[in-house]
Amino acid sequence: MNIIFLGPPGAGKGTIAALAKEVLSIPHISTGDIFRAAIKNETPLGKQVKSILASGELVPDALTIDLVNERLKEDDTSGGYILDGFPRTIPQAEALETFADIDFVINFTVERDMIIRRLSGRRIAKESGKVYHIIYNPPRVEGICDITGESLIQREDDKEEAVVNRLEVYERQTEPLIEYYTEKGLIRNVDGSDTPEKVLASFLAVIGVDKS
Ligand code: ADP
Ligand code: AMP
């Protein structure tokens, strides 16, 4: 199954994808994670996108589309995948149609004040890639990753100024995709405000997968 995870920043797309990929045995492809890894490794791509990510603006369509097109050619995608954070614009969605067949677009819905609470408390571990929340999903030891023992950090774009900009970018450029995919009959709405386990269960139910 080829699935898109849509929804505002902080809706829980990455968190649910990390759980769902184990259940469905398909890769979780996050364009945000790919860009952050490139920045961490100081690759040419990383240098190109670093300031864009910090500001909360979007990376240019052409670059992002090429990146995803190449990623979807890898062997691990043959049994399906979860695309998290792509497409984010209408041109990206149109381009995706030329190289992928999408089965479902999951629209995670969460109220704005909860989004702000989630983003302001999000902490990440750069090495393990694990995502925490200081209140909703804390590590066993404060500020330390359960898996690697590394110190947790706050994403540059989770700081207050960038968050406001990212929500505006989402409303202007990404929200129109809900209508785009509704017209194609692909949208499935999932209430993202419940616990991760319950959101995962709702997601599996809408795609017709029995977890037991
Ligand atoms: P997205 O990938 O949509 O930007 P994340 O999955 O990174 O969102 O989640 C944003 C923050 O909210 C993280 O700190 C995460 O731990 C927390 N979070 C995610 N889903 C839930 C949930 N269902 N309940 C409570 N907190 C959550
Ligand atoms: P995310 O981890 O999904 O919140 O993405 C973090 C940042 O990466 C975004 O704010 C953008 O700057 C960039 N990014 C991720 N996915 C895309 C995309 N599909 N198009 C453009 N920029 C993206």
Side-chain angles (χ1 to χ4, degrees), residues 18-72:
L19 301 171
K21 74 171 188 181
E22 304 296 339
V23 179
L24 301 173
S25 301
I26 53 177
H28 165 207
I29 301 172
S30 155
T31 39
D33 284 351
I34 295 171
F35 291 135
R36 278 184 293 278
I39 293 170
K40 175 174 167 286
N41 296 325
E42 298 181 347
T43 66
L45 171 68
K47 287 178 187 149
Q48 200 178 342
V49 303
K50 187 173 181 180
S51 63
I52 301 177
L53 263 81
S55 69
E57 293 296 317
L58 295 184
V59 173
D61 281 339
L63 197 164
T64 311
I65 290 163
D66 278 354
L67 186 96
V68 174
N69 191 2
E70 289 306 311
R71 179 64 185 86
L72 293 186

Side-chain angles (χ1 to χ4, degrees), residues 7-16 84 88 114-115 117-119 121-124 131-134 136-137 155 166 192-197 199:
K13 301 181 296 296
T15 300
I16 303 308
D84 163 11
R88 251 178 162 97
M114 186 176 277
I115 290 174
R117 283 201 299 277
R118 284 187 180 177
L119 291 178
R122 174 159 63 185
R123 297 293 181 272
I124 62 163
V131 177
Y132 297 88
H133 189 283
I134 52 174
Y136 308 136
N137 181 23
R155 274 170 52 172
R166 281 163 72 211
S193 58
D194 227 321
T195 61
E197 292 67 29
V199 179

Side-chain angles (χ1 to χ4, degrees), residues 120-167:
S120 58
R122 174 159 63 185
R123 297 293 181 272
I124 62 163
K126 276 194 168 177
E127 289 299 329
S128 69
K130 199 166 157 52
V131 177
Y132 297 88
H133 189 283
I134 52 174
I135 297 165
Y136 308 136
N137 181 23
R140 284 195 293 272
V141 179
E142 193 183 325
I144 301 292
C145 177
D146 295 344
I147 302 167
T148 54
E150 70 194 287
S151 295
L152 303 183
I153 58 153
Q154 184 175 37
R155 274 170 52 172
E156 203 57 42
D157 58 355
D158 280 345
K159 295 177 182 164
E160 210 177 321
E161 240 180 59
V163 164
V164 173
N165 190 32
R166 281 163 72 211
L167 291 176

